[in-house]
Amino acid sequence: MDNKRRKFLKIAGLSAIAGIGAPAALNMLMKGNVQASSPHGHGDDHGGGHEEAKGHGAHHGEVKQGKRYGLVIDVHKFNQTPGLAQKCISACHDTFNVPDIGNKKDEVKWIWEEPYTHAFPEHSHYKRNTELHHLSFLVTCNHCDDPPCVRACPTQATFKNEDGIVMMDFHRCIGCRFCMAACPYGSRSFNWRDPRGMKDGKPFIKKVNPEFPTRMRGVVEKCNFCAGLLKKGLLPKCVEATGDTKAMVFGDLNDPASEVSKVLKSHFTIQRKPALGTKPSVFYII
Amino acid sequence: MYDGAKIIPGLIIFVVLSTFAIWYGAGDAKQVPKPEKPVGYTNCVKPTDFMRQSHMTLLNQWRDEVIREGKREQVEAGGKMYEKSLQNGCMHCHTSKEKFCDVCHSYASVTPYCWDCHMSAKKIKGLEEAI
Ligand code: SF4
Ligand code: SF4
């Protein structure tokens, strides 16, 4: 009697588990768990369903069609023109009301300078010509073709738009900072302080651009490739600031006739941390 | 009734206190808010009735179109073109948040979080004057 009941309970338990688990497992198999592990997908579905096309840049992997904005930074031109990098940084930060908090820990930045060994850790070795090690490199969001930040964002506050720009919808950001953990380039900043605040009587935003909002405390921000200006047919602010030095060339990487494509074809360029497979859209002539 | 002398006044006090909110404002109907309309403009991007009820829906729609779908083209109203933007569109005509937005928002006791990031002209000036 007792033995029978024991057996019955075992069988009932097992079939309950099978009953609950099977549909879920089946579901997963059917979908192939597309979102998280598509081999060369967008990582998001906002990309506009672009089909895979021929490669760009250092990766000869598959790349989506449509516009794919990218940037080439000529490091030598920057270092020949002292103060140019700073000019680019100010042009950007003034336009987007990026606060200058004044300490490294709470710093907010969209575009900034890094030494060679930080910008290109995998290209660094002791025997590299010393000149490179003394140069500084402008870095910003790479608007990766396969952006890990987009996959990590639980609210789709970060997404890839149809022009290949990794955008942020600040309205939607909950400040979880998953994207910051996911981005291998440190391109994202968190507003630890109220950006409208001040310290010692000095406001964090020195000059307010009335055409753009500020952010609030607890929101992540980063470069948006000046998506709004591009729609008006203008260049990003940093590129505009370089004037005709040609230190920065911006354009559509998928358009073989664009200036940026021509520069990429005729120069040796490197990307930041290419081995990670994020396919950065920012290239460096070194 | 035992202790009637205490219970009845007690009840009266209780009723008066619990309906305080009702009679406190009685006879003193608050003025319907009159937001200040911009001078020199006759048309909003949508009819006034729609804007009165659903401006927030329109703003959300604009936000999604502009940021997510990249549809940044301007909208037309009364022969003029306006940007789909709170700061650069709406506030191009409705220049004062205090005399327009806030008037109804305070009446309805709502605190929309638009202003956590978007700025009124006064706020911009305030931020700049702090320098
Ligand atoms: S650089 Fe970082 S923030 Fe920019 S797209 Fe790539 S992973 Fe995202
Ligand atoms: S911090 Fe904001 S943008 Fe980043 S992952 Fe979280 S919700 Fe998305």
Side-chain angles (χ1 to χ4, degrees):
Chain A
M1 181 66 191
D2 223 17
N3 194 22
K4 258 189 192 163
R5 184 156 77 192
R6 215 185 149 88
K7 235 183 186 167
F8 169 75
L9 283 175
K10 270 188 184 165
I11 293 172
L14 276 176
S15 24
I17 290 173
I20 293 166
L26 223 94
N27 236 342
M28 231 146 84
L29 279 176
M30 304 266 275
K31 276 205 217 130
N33 207 357
V34 210
Q35 267 278 319
S37 59
S38 63
H40 42 238
H42 288 82
D44 72 322
D45 291 303
H46 302 291
H50 303 302
E51 290 308 317
E52 316 287 312
K54 64 182 183 325
H56 95 238
H59 294 271
H60 295 278
E62 291 127 314
V63 167
K64 300 100 193 169
Q65 271 171 350
K67 277 215 175 75
R68 206 52 38 176
Y69 282 121
L71 179 65
V72 175
I73 298 178
D74 188 327
V75 177
H76 295 290
K77 294 215 168 96
F78 266 105
N79 286 282
Q80 280 155 14
T81 329
L84 187 60
Q86 199 50 51
K87 209 171 129 195
C88 294
I89 297 172
S90 311
C92 167
H93 288 187
D94 290 352
T95 305
F96 294 106
N97 295 325
V98 179
D100 173 14
I101 309 285
N103 75 62
K104 264 268 182 248
K105 196 168 118 297
D106 303 332
E107 182 179 47
V108 177
K109 51 195 177 1
W110 285 27
I111 180 168
W112 71 103
E113 288 183 285
E114 286 287 2
Y116 181 75
T117 44
H118 290 177
F120 302 99
E122 78 289 359
H123 290 288
S124 316
H125 59 76
Y126 297 123
K127 302 291 184 190
R128 182 73 91 180
N129 72 11
T130 46
E131 189 208 358
L132 271 180
H133 284 282
H134 294 132
L135 299 182
S136 59
F137 294 73
L138 262 190
V139 293
T140 181
C141 170
N142 289 290
H143 296 276
C144 308
D145 242 12
D146 214 342
C149 54
V150 169
R151 287 191 194 193
C153 180
T155 64
Q156 299 181 345
T158 271
F159 59 96
K160 201 161 185 53
N161 83 359
E162 54 180 10
D163 296 335
I165 301 176
V166 176
M167 290 283 287
M168 274 208 63
D169 182 350
F170 301 120
H171 303 91
R172 207 151 164 167
C173 175
I174 54 169
C176 65
R177 301 194 290 133
F178 286 6
C179 56
M180 294 180 69
C183 172
Y185 307 97
S187 300
R188 295 170 161 269
S189 308
F190 184 68
N191 281 284
W192 292 100
R193 312 279 302 261
D194 176 9
R196 292 182 180 183
M198 58 174 76
K199 198 179 173 224
D200 306 330
K202 277 201 199 119
F204 296 141
I205 304 173
K206 304 258 149 27
K207 179 99 192 68
V208 183
N209 172 13
E211 289 184 7
F212 204 78
T214 66
R215 263 66 63 202
M216 61 183 289
R217 197 170 143 245
V219 164
V220 163
E221 59 181 273
K222 68 163 196 82
C223 156
N224 61 9
F225 255 7
C226 291
L229 295 177
L230 297 182
K231 279 275 172 203
K232 289 185 184 157
L234 300 168
L235 281 174
K237 282 284 168 184
C238 57
V239 181
E240 190 188 88
T242 58
D244 37 42
T245 58
K246 293 262 181 285
M248 274 184 174
V249 180
F250 182 87
D252 182 2
L253 302 172
N254 280 357
D255 173 8
S258 68
E259 194 184 354
V260 74
S261 298
K262 285 181 193 151
V263 170
L264 280 172
K265 233 175 254 159
S266 55
H267 291 75
F268 174 71
T269 51
I270 58 172
Q271 292 163 303
R272 294 182 67 199
K273 304 187 186 174
L276 296 178
T278 56
K279 302 183 189 145
S281 304
V282 177
F283 301 82
Y284 294 85
I285 302 175
I286 61 163
Chain B
M1 191 196 281
Y2 299 113
D3 283 336
K6 282 183 196 159
I7 292 172
I8 290 168
L11 272 178
I12 293 172
I13 292 174
F14 172 75
V15 169
V16 167
L17 279 183
S18 57
T19 53
F20 174 80
I22 297 172
W23 57 260
Y24 181 72
D28 170 32
K30 281 263 157 28
Q31 284 286 306
V32 176
K34 281 214 172 55
E36 199 177 285
K37 289 202 177 151
V39 238
Y41 300 92
T42 46
N43 285 69
C44 193
V45 290
K46 293 261 163 138
T48 313
D49 268 349
F50 175 88
M51 288 313 274
R52 212 170 265 153
Q53 289 173 30
S54 311
H55 60 281
M56 52 305 239
T57 319
L58 182 71
L59 282 171
N60 280 354
Q61 190 191 325
W62 280 2
R63 174 197 64 199
D64 292 345
E65 284 174 9
V66 166
I67 303 177
R68 293 198 174 255
E69 297 160 30
K71 293 187 191 145
R72 291 177 189 255
E73 75 286 339
Q74 301 190 324
V75 289
E76 194 255 9
K80 292 202 178 94
M81 301 303 285
Y82 299 99
E83 266 186 59
K84 290 197 279 194
S85 155
L86 174 57
Q87 261 171 256
N88 305 327
C90 307
M91 300 188 78
H92 172 79
C93 308
H94 302 282
T95 45
S96 170
K97 161 181 179 272
E98 292 72 21
K99 288 186 187 151
F100 188 77
C101 316
D102 288 354
V103 178
C104 292
H105 290 163
S106 344
Y107 178 81
S109 189
V110 289
T111 43
Y113 47 66
C114 312
W115 311 108
D116 288 347
C117 298
H118 293 278
M119 291 176 285
S120 64
K122 200 169 158 208
K123 182 79 203 172
I124 293 168
K125 213 159 152 251
L127 282 177
E128 281 187 341
E129 260 163 21
I131 305 170

